[in-house]
Amino acid sequence: MFVINNIKVLHLDSNHPLLWNQLEQAGFLNEHDYTSTKEEVASKIHNYDGIIIRSRFKIDREFIDKATNLKFIARVGAGLESIDSEYAIAKKIHLIAAPEGNKNAVGEHALGMLLSIMNKLNKADKMIRNGQWIREGNRGYELDGKTVGIIGYGNMGKAFAKKLRGFEVEVLCYDIQENVGDENAKQVSLRELQKRVDVLSLHVPWTRETDKMMKNEFINSFSNPFWFINTSRGKNVVTDDLVKALASKKILGAGLDVLEYEKLSFENLFVDAERPKAFEYLLRAENVLLTPHVAGWTYESHEKLAETIVSKIIKLYE
């Protein structure tokens, strides 16, 4: 393996051990700090060439200004929204993420959520456990014959489309990048997608452009009632408006791995102790399936994410 000397890396979150071990084998000097405050880390960050983080805290301009020797920031995950990316790049700091590492996990999770809400699997399971054997009330819908729309056709969107190949469905995708469609999805305009789909799955990052994109006006632009899956970011959806659409049956059911109320670290849900009314509705709704931001967090992806980060860091120095 290519050997690198005297490159100090600070690990701010625990990750799969191979990340630490393989960097060490390559010659990097690993140190970790999983408990200090952001201010305490900032006071010593000038000693390091690289940072490896998941989502412990936001890396903002003030923090970057104190990282005078920093050459890279590696986030063990798909997105970089917890980093002031523009400022970091302006400071000639390389940004590394690993969407390739958990794309398969996200694709499988999105498909699992879709099949569950369309076939009322979780609802039926709960009813049987409560002694209710009701067949007609748990009649489901088949995915075959439906049109599936994917907004955001990068690593995650493509992985979900690939999982749909075994179904007799038409898959449409919309993306701000041109010519990203492939054998698994036809790229169309947003308006065409909104006219035709029966299922919508979000696979976009959280940016200024996507923040609160799923709101009343956007939802009502769809011609047909539709099932909705969100494994992207919770703040891409206005939960109050989603609840209105569920109540009116404009949205037939929702699978939500992410919620608007999550903290930046994704490790906790509410900033305030009081539960929003919209969230209370989601908890009661039989056509809503909730998971705690784990779509891309399988045992396999835990290792793949680490492998991807290691390879990109080593390639940077090679």
Side-chain angles (χ1 to χ4, degrees):
M1 181 179 287
F2 187 80
V3 178
I4 297 152
N5 294 313
N6 301 319
I7 305 299
K8 292 184 69 175
V9 180
L10 181 61
H11 298 247
L12 293 173
D13 293 289
S14 61
N15 288 290
H16 194 284
L18 76 79
L19 197 160
W20 179 288
N21 294 338
Q22 290 188 5
L23 286 178
E24 187 174 65
Q25 290 169 18
F28 289 87
L29 303 177
N30 290 314
E31 294 184 17
H32 70 77
D33 187 337
Y34 303 151
T35 58
S36 294
T37 65
K38 179 179 177 180
E39 290 71 25
E40 289 169 338
V41 173
S43 69
K44 63 180 180 181
I45 197 61
H46 61 278
N47 294 319
Y48 298 93
D49 302 280
I51 296 171
I52 297 177
I53 191 170
R54 289 204 311 270
S55 299
R56 182 169 152 198
F57 53 69
K58 185 172 178 60
I59 298 180
D60 52 23
R61 289 187 173 216
E62 183 179 358
F63 187 91
I64 292 170
D65 281 338
K66 294 182 178 180
T68 51
N69 291 310
L70 207 60
K71 306 300 188 299
F72 71 85
I73 303 170
R75 179 170 180 262
V76 186
L80 294 168
E81 68 270 16
S82 61
I83 302 166
D84 189 330
S85 300
E86 291 182 7
Y87 194 64
I89 291 170
K91 290 284 189 176
K92 298 184 174 8
I93 297 171
H94 293 272
L95 300 181
I96 298 170
E100 310 93 329
N102 62 356
K103 63 181 181 180
N104 183 72
V106 171
E108 289 190 7
H109 195 95
L111 179 58
M113 294 192 103
L114 178 58
L115 293 174
S116 182
I117 61 173
M118 291 184 72
N119 291 282
K120 306 178 183 177
L121 301 183
N122 282 61
K123 175 193 169 191
D125 176 78
K126 289 177 183 177
M127 293 182 78
I128 292 173
R129 291 174 189 273
N130 289 325
Q132 299 172 284
W133 185 268
I134 298 174
R135 298 183 67 221
E136 184 59 34
N138 287 300
R139 188 192 293 267
Y141 293 86
E142 295 180 18
L143 184 53
D144 276 25
K146 305 295 190 294
T147 299
V148 179
I150 298 173
I151 296 183
Y153 205 60
N155 285 282
M156 309 302 172
K158 288 179 185 291
F160 179 52
K162 186 177 180 181
K163 302 303 175 190
L164 293 167
R165 288 175 64 175
F167 297 87
E168 294 294 330
V169 295
E170 182 178 13
V171 183
L172 307 178
C173 67
Y174 170 75
D175 196 281
I176 59 173
Q177 303 293 329
E178 296 181 357
N179 303 315
V180 297
D182 55 21
E183 67 276 11
N184 298 323
K186 176 184 176 183
Q187 187 169 8
V188 296
S189 67
L190 179 59
R191 185 66 198 115
E192 182 176 351
L193 183 141
Q194 289 174 319
K195 282 183 178 180
R196 298 179 56 193
V197 302
D198 306 295
V199 173
L200 174 66
S201 189
L202 281 191
H203 296 277
V204 292
W206 180 43
T207 66
R208 286 189 293 269
E209 291 72 27
T210 63
D211 182 56
K212 298 178 175 60
M213 66 177 288
M214 194 75 177
K215 55 187 177 182
N216 275 329
E217 182 181 1
F218 186 84
I219 294 169
N220 291 327
S221 296
F222 286 79
S223 299
N224 305 317
F226 60 94
W227 285 272
F228 175 60
I229 303 295
N230 187 16
T231 55
S232 62
R233 289 293 184 264
K235 289 180 172 55
N236 292 334
V237 176
V238 178
T239 311
D240 287 343
D241 294 350
L242 171 64
V243 164
K244 290 175 187 174
L246 285 163
S248 70
K249 296 185 170 52
K250 179 67 177 184
I251 293 180
L252 302 170
L256 307 173
D257 181 55
V258 290
L259 290 170
E260 182 182 1
Y261 317 112
E262 289 178 74
K263 291 186 178 180
L264 182 64
S265 68
F266 307 141
E267 297 299 325
N268 296 288
L269 191 56
F270 298 107
V271 176
D272 301 313
E274 185 178 350
R275 288 179 176 177
K277 289 182 179 179
F279 181 66
E280 293 287 356
Y281 179 95
L282 296 179
L283 291 178
R284 296 191 305 267
E286 293 181 333
N287 59 342
V288 173
L289 179 61
L290 303 169
T291 54
H293 203 134
V294 293
W297 199 237
T298 61
Y299 289 102
E300 292 84 356
S301 71
H302 188 44
E303 184 171 349
K304 290 176 187 175
L305 285 166
E307 289 175 342
T308 303
I309 291 295
V310 169
S311 65
K312 288 185 177 183
I313 292 173
I314 291 175
K315 184 176 180 180
L316 178 64
Y317 282 90
E318 287 179 338

